[in-house]
Amino acid sequence: MTTTVDTGFSTESGSRRAERGRFIAQPLAVVVIVGAVLIWALNRDNDAIEATNLNISTLLADTWAHLLITIAVAAIVVVVAVPLGMLLTRRWARRFAPVFLTIANIGQAAPALGMIVLFFLWTSWEGFWCAVLPLAFYSLLPVLRNTIVGIEAVDPALTDAGRGIGMSGAGVLWRIEMPLAVPLILAGLRTALVLAVGTATLAFFVDGGGLGELIDTGYKLNRVPVLITGAVLAVGLALLVDWVGAVLEEVFGPRGLK
């Protein structure tokens, strides 16, 4: 006869503990690594070119520009993808969903650099918006797809129950379908944020600013400290944005589904 011992451990609880541990470890690791690289870069014997790029005001300006590009891309993605995803789950609009998903798929399948260059050649624009608009198109798919999948995954019995107690179509959407779809939408937004902060390093190609300026300068002028500092700041920012996305999922996810 076999005796089963209950250790009190489950895969789900272990995963939750690991996730909570990551909430503390991830930003701490970013602060330690980025702090160490900045102390090294700012206190070494830099030549004139390195000193021009490796100073507090330049690093803050480039990091802020990079963050602004990421925020603008994320805002456009949310404003476009979430309402469009909601619309495409309505019965009369479902036949159009493959068309929009194919367009968004093309946007993400194409290289981000190619999207920026094509947009530049098409519009002859330069600067912030010339980088933001193609990157928003590039990052659209995760939020659009997750909004559609999240709403369509809601149990039909729940929506039928809502209609049974007299809710309108809009009431069912806002009070039943959207709250239950929030975890998937937030997961898509987190993916879009990481895509945006990573591809924002390409904004320097169209004079859009950001940390790509440091990486490009370090590479072209063979200044390794400038190259390393720009790359580490970009990676650190991506990890912090991913952490913010995880916190948003934890805070705004429905309590009953955790």
Side-chain angles (χ1 to χ4, degrees):
M1 179 178 178
T2 303
T3 303
T4 302
V5 179
D6 183 5
T7 61
F9 175 81
S10 69
T11 303
E12 186 178 356
S13 63
S15 176
R16 294 288 300 167
R17 281 197 294 271
E19 187 70 16
R20 286 171 182 165
R22 196 165 71 86
F23 282 158
I24 300 173
Q26 187 164 328
L28 189 61
V30 171
V31 170
V32 170
I33 294 171
V34 172
V37 169
L38 287 179
I39 291 171
W40 165 73
L42 295 174
N43 290 284
R44 63 188 299 278
D45 187 18
N46 292 319
D47 61 24
I49 295 175
E50 291 167 348
T52 302
N53 291 278
L54 297 179
N55 57 76
I56 294 295
S57 61
T58 301
L59 294 178
L60 283 177
D62 286 343
T63 303
W64 177 242
H66 201 98
L67 196 57
L68 280 182
I69 294 171
T70 304
I71 292 171
V73 169
I76 292 173
V77 166
V78 170
V79 168
V80 173
V82 173
L84 182 60
M86 292 164 61
L87 187 68
L88 293 176
T89 58
R90 301 306 90 189
R91 187 173 301 171
W92 59 269
R94 282 176 185 163
R95 61 181 180 276
F96 301 114
V99 176
F100 285 94
L101 283 173
T102 301
I103 293 171
N105 235 326
I106 291 172
Q108 192 168 61
L113 178 57
M115 298 283 296
I116 293 174
V117 171
L118 286 176
F119 190 77
F120 165 74
L121 294 174
W122 178 42
T123 61
S124 299
W125 292 1
E126 283 186 340
F128 182 79
W129 291 108
C130 186
V132 165
L133 294 177
L135 291 181
F137 183 46
Y138 180 77
S139 308
L140 197 67
L141 181 63
V143 180
L144 176 62
R145 183 179 55 204
N146 280 26
T147 302
I148 294 173
V149 171
I151 292 176
E152 289 185 341
V154 174
D155 189 344
L158 295 175
T159 56
D160 289 343
R163 293 190 184 94
I165 61 174
M167 282 187 183
S168 63
V172 170
L173 175 64
W174 286 107
R175 299 178 66 181
I176 297 177
E177 293 177 313
M178 282 302 289
L180 292 174
V182 161
L184 268 181
I185 296 173
L186 289 175
L189 178 60
R190 184 176 170 185
T191 302
L193 279 169
V194 175
L195 283 175
V197 75
T199 52
T201 52
L202 302 173
F204 77 91
F205 277 104
V206 290
D207 199 22
L211 293 168
E213 300 271 5
L214 287 176
I215 296 172
D216 182 57
T217 301
Y219 176 74
K220 285 181 177 173
L221 301 180
N222 195 26
R223 294 301 191 276
V224 175
V226 179
L227 179 62
I228 291 175
T229 304
V232 169
L233 283 174
V235 171
L237 196 59
L239 289 173
L240 281 180
V241 166
D242 176 65
W243 176 77
V244 170
V247 171
L248 289 176
E249 283 188 53
E250 182 68 19
V251 172
F252 293 106
R255 298 290 175 192
L257 298 182
K258 295 178 181 178

